[in-house]
Amino acid sequence: MSLAGEAVVNRSLYCFEHLSGRPTSSGVFAGDDPLKFYFPLLLYHICIIFILSHAIYAVFRRVGIPLVISQILAGTLLGPSFLGHYLPHIGEVFATPEGWLQINTVGGYAFTLHIFTIGVKTDLGMIVKSGKKAIAIAVLGTTAPHLAMYVAGLALSDRIPKQWTDTFLLTNLNSWWSLSAFIVVCCTLDDLHLLSSKLGRLAMSAALIGDFANTFAIAGVTSYLLQASPEEKLQRIGFASSLSFTIFIALMGLVARPVILRLIRDVPEGGILSESRLVAVLLISITCSFAGELLGLHATYGPFMLGLMLPGGAPLGVTLAERLDRLVAGVLTPLLIAQGGMRMNVHMIKDASTCGLLEVFLVVGIVAKFVACMVPCLYCQIPVRESVAVGLMMNFKGITEVVYASAFMDSKVLDDQAYAAFMINVLVVGAATGAAVKYMYHPEEKYVANQLRTVENKKVSEELRVLACVHSQVDVAPVVALLDASSPTPTTPVSVYLLHLMPLAGLTSSVLRSFKPGDQHCVPTGSKATESERVVNAFQFFVDQRQRGSSSLLPYVCIAPYATMHNDVCTVALEKRAMLIIVPFHKRLAIDGSVEPTSPNAGAIQDTNISILNYAPCSVAILIDRGSLSGVASTASIDTIDGLFPHRVAMYFLGGPDDREAMALAAYMAEDAPIGLTVFRFLLPIEWQQRLDPEEDELDDEATQEFVRRWVDDNRVMYSQHTVGGSHEMVDVIRNTSVAFDLLVVGRRAESLETPLTAGISDWSEHLELGVLGDLLTSADFGSRLSTLVVQQQTKAAAGELCPV
């Protein structure tokens, strides 16, 4: 037995004789040592673990190492493996028994709430929609490592230490090392920004199916073995455990679930749970956790199963995400994860043969799972590279392994040496699989089209396929006005694929599917119609007002994190062979004339737009609404343009592929519509033109000559050419001519070389996604209140040149 006051962190016996009886200290000036009191010691642990883990994560996140691995590493550095060994006077602060008791209690409670939150956010529909691939991966990925480790145990039975046999180490190791825990896969994919990717959804579905199968299989086999035992006492225990487990699940489904549904049913649409209702929900989940402990289940089992029975999204999932996630998952749960590293003492590894034997079993399990998960993928003709990525995803390691290892350490199944060896494997496998997936799996690669999908290359009388993206009702009017300005006809039809983009809240997996009225994932707005329904209704009204056969609408709903939202946009654009993606700018003109963000998430929307520009499989247009096009705050009335046309469009042509695409789009808008269009082309003096790209200049000349030949009539469609001596003269021409129009169209020219036409302007660019000229036209210094459309032509394929359709 240890002496009083000595810290023995890997044992369950603690002596607290040196503790003060008070929870808080009077401060160092009163002669107290704050670290001898419960509450300051807890705060000290929280702060140090949080700071150190995020510092490590900031270093390793670029290579794909998950946050949970950084938290385990933080605990390792603070524990006897490093700080406690080399600086014992400092490290002993983290090895006090009272500190361990607090970390396990607070961290365990936080982990229970975290599991409940993840359960609520999880959509059980993934199991139904997963298909045969996910089921095959789940079954083979769980069965194969079980069998492989069992066979390895039989082959090496004569070398297995007696202590392992007495504590059933291999049996326990087999049961939880073979499992792909859903929470681990979900959290790691979130760190890698792969939740909404195709393989990410597949891995999460397989992990969830595997969790269910493993849980019920273990419960069923255990109960059967007990009831089949010749001892009557064990038979009674087996029957009682089966009955109590069934009653426990039934009570959660028939009592706890209806009570919580009643609590959330009366919540106003668009709102979140009140404090009293949230507390009631949490108390019910804690009660289920306690009941599970009484039945011999892990404390997280009840809350997780209860969470799965409840609907995700608004209002419950959103409330838990807003009220609990940052505190529970971000601050308190890392205590439990870090203590897994703090308990590890690498200096206890002394028997190489025993650790080598353990390593054999762990490696056999990893390899068997990796191969077993690859086989169904290869059978379904998934590329080898992606099949390897799925095998790696199913081998993610993290918090579940830490929790199980700590529990078996407390129950003496693992000794100090085996625990240290096991945790090293968790660190290595968790870090290696995360880094390997980040290195080899890039969902954006599939968005590179092998054909030109641009307006410029659209065939005559071919429909224009447009993917219109909106984040909220604020974006609807300008996008509809832009489509209305083009006045599609049966000879020049437009197919609109509407994508309502919403941030992921209250769900673990992203949603991308066609719109259905009354969709449970759509955001309520305070009336019977959801926000998605209102958005779709506005676009449907536009389609209904057009001549039959001139336009069509196919709406979609996308709920995803902003970091990966571009994946869903590009997926729809690729599948529907869209020629143009229209995205709204993240700022708008306020009533007082100032520029304000369109939403609190304006910064994230800007990042999404940039990602769409980088990976889109077609051309992209960013619409900057200033009210002139939609009629909200028009600065050019119909009278000022002689009442000839309802819309006047100006296109400023500097040269390059983006400008040619912008001119083609402007020509399409004016093809059969009562729109006044003027194209202004800016040229440099002849003596300067030799500095430019001759090939691009030739393409520009051909495009403008074709435009003049086909469209210019000097009445409705006009062409004006200006020779300017530099950017300042060009800006003067734009400033003087733009006031007569209500929509300005320009090319982004992001990859074009700087020329005298843009020299000096780029130095003051604020929004790079708009390009030099687009940023100038929308800047406050320019003083324009005209809506602007910035166009980027489809970029070239990474694997070679694009070929025309």
Side-chain angles (χ1 to χ4, degrees):
M1 179 181 294
S2 61
L3 298 176
E6 181 183 358
V8 184
V9 299
N10 290 332
R11 299 290 182 265
S12 57
L13 178 60
Y14 297 136
C15 299
F16 295 167
E17 291 184 6
H18 68 288
L19 287 178
S20 168
R22 295 176 293 154
T24 59
S25 72
S26 298
V28 293
F29 297 107
D32 285 345
D33 181 359
L35 298 183
K36 298 294 184 181
F37 296 82
Y38 289 107
F39 192 61
L41 183 62
L42 176 63
L43 298 180
Y44 177 73
H45 283 145
I46 292 175
C47 294
I48 295 298
I49 291 173
F50 181 86
I51 294 172
L52 184 57
S53 62
H54 279 76
I56 296 173
Y57 184 56
V59 175
F60 292 121
R61 66 182 301 178
R62 293 187 178 275
V63 296
I65 294 179
L67 176 59
V68 65
I69 300 300
S70 300
Q71 292 166 344
I72 299 174
L73 279 175
T76 304
L77 294 177
L78 297 173
S81 295
F82 184 78
L83 194 62
H85 181 78
Y86 297 104
L87 297 172
H89 296 293
I90 300 177
E92 67 181 5
V93 176
F94 296 93
T96 57
E98 59 271 21
W100 281 92
L101 184 62
Q102 290 184 110
I103 287 177
N104 279 286
T105 303
V106 176
Y109 174 66
F111 181 57
T112 301
L113 294 181
H114 184 45
I115 287 290
F116 173 66
T117 302
I118 289 181
V120 172
K121 294 179 180 180
T122 301
D123 181 12
L124 283 180
M126 285 193 301
I127 298 178
V128 179
K129 306 170 189 174
S130 57
K132 298 179 180 178
K133 283 187 293 188
I135 296 174
I137 292 171
V139 174
L140 291 179
T142 303
T143 305
H146 270 292
L147 295 176
M149 295 177 70
Y150 177 75
V151 171
L154 293 178
L156 300 174
S157 58
D158 56 334
R159 299 185 181 182
I160 296 176
K162 185 177 182 301
Q163 181 184 358
W164 289 14
T165 305
D166 295 339
T167 58
F168 299 98
L169 172 61
L170 293 182
T171 302
N172 290 300
L173 186 67
N174 197 345
S175 64
W176 41 274
W177 187 251
S178 303
L179 182 65
S180 296
F182 175 76
I183 181 176
V184 174
V185 174
C186 179
C187 292
T188 306
L189 290 174
D190 188 28
D191 290 340
L192 298 175
H193 302 305
L194 294 175
L195 277 178
S196 61
S197 65
K198 180 184 71 173
L199 298 189
R201 291 188 175 105
L202 179 62
M204 283 195 296
S205 298
L208 185 59
I209 295 172
D211 267 1
F212 268 103
N214 187 74
T215 298
F216 287 99
I218 290 178
V221 170
T222 303
S223 298
Y224 173 78
L225 292 177
L226 288 174
Q227 294 183 49
S229 173
E231 297 185 23
E232 184 178 350
K233 180 180 179 181
L234 294 179
Q235 292 178 2
R236 289 197 300 269
I237 293 176
F239 175 77
S241 63
S242 300
L243 181 62
S244 60
F245 179 79
T246 303
I247 295 175
F248 179 53
I249 298 296
L251 288 176
M252 284 195 295
L254 300 177
V255 178
R257 181 178 182 272
V259 171
I260 294 179
L261 291 179
R262 180 65 180 85
L263 289 172
I264 66 177
R265 187 174 60 190
D266 297 336
V267 176
E269 294 181 341
I272 60 176
L273 295 180
S274 63
E275 183 177 351
S276 59
R277 293 173 186 245
L278 176 61
V279 170
V281 171
L282 296 180
L283 286 176
I284 293 174
S285 69
I286 294 172
T287 302
C288 293
S289 177
F290 177 68
E293 283 283 343
L294 291 178
L295 300 178
L297 301 171
H298 194 275
T300 59
Y301 182 81
F304 183 63
M305 293 299 294
L306 176 63
L308 291 176
M309 297 177 184
L310 299 173
L316 181 57
V318 174
T319 303
L320 293 175
E322 291 185 3
R323 298 280 183 87
L324 292 183
D325 265 3
R326 292 178 179 86
L327 175 63
V328 171
V331 179
L332 300 181
T333 302
L335 291 174
L336 185 67
I337 302 173
Q339 67 89 24
M342 294 166 68
R343 298 184 72 167
M344 178 174 63
N345 187 355
V346 297
H347 304 288
M348 298 297 293
I349 300 178
K350 299 176 181 179
D351 189 350
S353 61
T354 302
C355 293
L357 186 62
L358 179 64
E359 189 69 26
V360 168
F361 287 106
L362 297 178
V363 171
V364 166
I366 289 291
V367 173
K369 176 179 284 290
F370 176 74
V371 174
C373 293
M374 280 187 60
V375 170
C377 298
L378 295 174
Y379 179 79
C380 296
Q381 299 182 344
I382 295 178
V384 176
R385 189 183 184 93
E386 294 186 0
S387 300
V388 172
V390 172
L392 293 171
M393 289 177 183
M394 298 303 291
N395 272 303
F396 286 153
K397 303 299 177 185
I399 187 171
T400 301
E401 285 71 27
V402 172
V403 171
Y404 276 119
S406 297
F408 287 120
M409 183 75 167
D410 292 334
S411 60
K412 306 300 190 333
V413 174
L414 292 174
D415 57 16
D416 293 340
Q417 179 176 246
Y419 178 85
F422 176 80
M423 289 302 298
I424 290 175
N425 278 271
V426 172
L427 285 171
V428 172
V429 175
T433 52
V437 169
K438 183 177 179 64
Y439 173 76
M440 69 186 312
Y441 179 52
H442 305 284
E444 296 84 2
E445 292 178 352
K446 69 178 182 179
Y447 306 133
V448 179
N450 56 7
Q451 293 179 327
L452 279 173
R453 293 177 181 170
T454 66
V455 181
E456 184 182 9
N457 293 90
K458 186 180 75 70
K459 297 178 181 179
V460 178
S461 299
E462 182 184 6
E463 65 176 2
L464 178 65
R465 296 180 293 273
V466 176
L467 175 59
C469 302
V470 297
H471 293 273
S472 65
Q473 297 181 64
V474 174
D475 304 323
V476 172
V479 175
V480 171
L482 177 64
L483 296 172
D484 183 67
S486 64
S487 296
T489 65
T491 57
T492 57
V494 59
S495 293
V496 181
Y497 301 99
L498 172 63
L499 189 57
H500 185 198
L501 303 172
M502 293 179 284
L504 183 68
L507 295 169
T508 55
S509 57
S510 58
V511 176
L512 176 62
R513 59 188 178 195
S514 57
F515 169 79
K516 299 176 182 178
D519 194 329
Q520 64 172 340
H521 293 299
C522 296
V523 180
T525 59
S527 66
K528 293 183 178 180
T530 65
E531 184 177 24
S532 290
E533 288 173 336
R534 292 187 174 188
V535 169
V536 173
N537 289 340
F539 279 84
Q540 188 62 53
F541 180 78
F542 157 75
V543 172
D544 294 341
Q545 295 300 306
R546 313 314 308 174
Q547 186 178 354
R548 185 175 182 180
S550 63
S551 58
S552 60
L553 176 67
L554 184 58
Y556 287 86
V557 173
C558 168
I559 306 175
Y562 281 112
T564 60
M565 194 173 282
H566 65 280
N567 289 333
D568 296 300
V569 175
C570 295
T571 297
V572 176
L574 187 65
E575 291 179 354
K576 301 304 177 182
R577 298 183 297 117
M579 300 176 184
L580 181 68
I581 300 175
I582 301 176
V583 295
F585 191 52
H586 66 282
K587 291 184 179 180
R588 65 180 177 182
L589 195 67
I591 297 178
D592 59 359
S594 62
V595 178
E596 64 178 9
T598 56
S599 78
N601 301 315
I605 294 175
Q606 181 184 21
D607 294 338
T608 300
N609 289 345
I610 294 174
S611 297
I612 293 173
L613 289 169
N614 291 336
Y615 301 112
C618 60
S619 298
V620 181
I622 299 180
L623 179 59
I624 303 96
D625 178 39
R626 294 292 184 262
S628 59
L629 183 63
S630 55
V632 177
S634 178
T635 58
S637 66
I638 294 180
D639 293 336
T640 63
I641 55 176
D642 299 328
L644 294 176
F645 311 111
H647 295 289
R648 291 295 302 269
V649 180
M651 192 273 145
Y652 294 105
F653 189 96
L654 277 66
D658 291 348
D659 284 52
R660 294 194 294 271
E661 181 73 2
M663 186 171 63
L665 178 59
Y668 170 81
M669 294 175 62
E671 185 171 348
D672 289 317
I675 289 179
L677 170 63
T678 302
V679 174
F680 296 89
R681 185 183 184 187
F682 296 99
L683 295 174
L684 291 169
I686 297 178
E687 59 270 18
W688 289 8
Q689 292 184 12
Q690 60 183 359
R691 305 177 186 176
L692 305 179
D693 186 350
E695 183 179 350
E696 284 295 328
D697 290 345
E698 183 178 353
L699 293 174
D700 293 340
D701 291 338
E702 293 177 357
T704 53
Q705 291 170 9
E706 178 66 16
F707 173 79
V708 172
R709 185 186 65 82
R710 290 189 59 187
W711 306 112
V712 173
D713 57 8
D714 292 330
N715 178 26
R716 190 172 66 88
V717 181
M718 294 182 288
Y719 174 80
S720 179
Q721 187 168 292
H722 299 264
T723 300
V724 294
S727 59
H728 61 286
E729 294 185 12
M730 181 189 69
V731 172
D732 289 339
V733 173
I734 295 175
R735 191 185 301 274
N736 294 330
T737 59
S738 61
V739 294
F741 302 91
D742 46 27
L743 176 64
L744 309 180
V745 182
V746 297
R748 183 176 179 234
R749 295 173 50 83
E751 298 181 0
S752 301
L753 298 175
E754 186 176 271
T755 69
L757 290 176
T758 58
I761 303 178
S762 58
D763 297 337
W764 303 97
S765 294
E766 180 182 0
H767 304 103
L768 298 180
E769 70 271 24
L770 300 181
V772 176
L773 194 53
D775 184 77
L776 171 68
L777 295 176
T778 58
S779 64
D781 295 335
F782 191 76
S784 173
R785 292 195 175 188
L786 302 175
S787 297
T788 305
L789 190 67
V790 179
V791 181
Q792 172 186 279
Q793 192 177 61
Q794 176 188 11
T795 56
K796 293 182 179 181
E801 299 294 325
L802 293 168
C803 57
V805 178

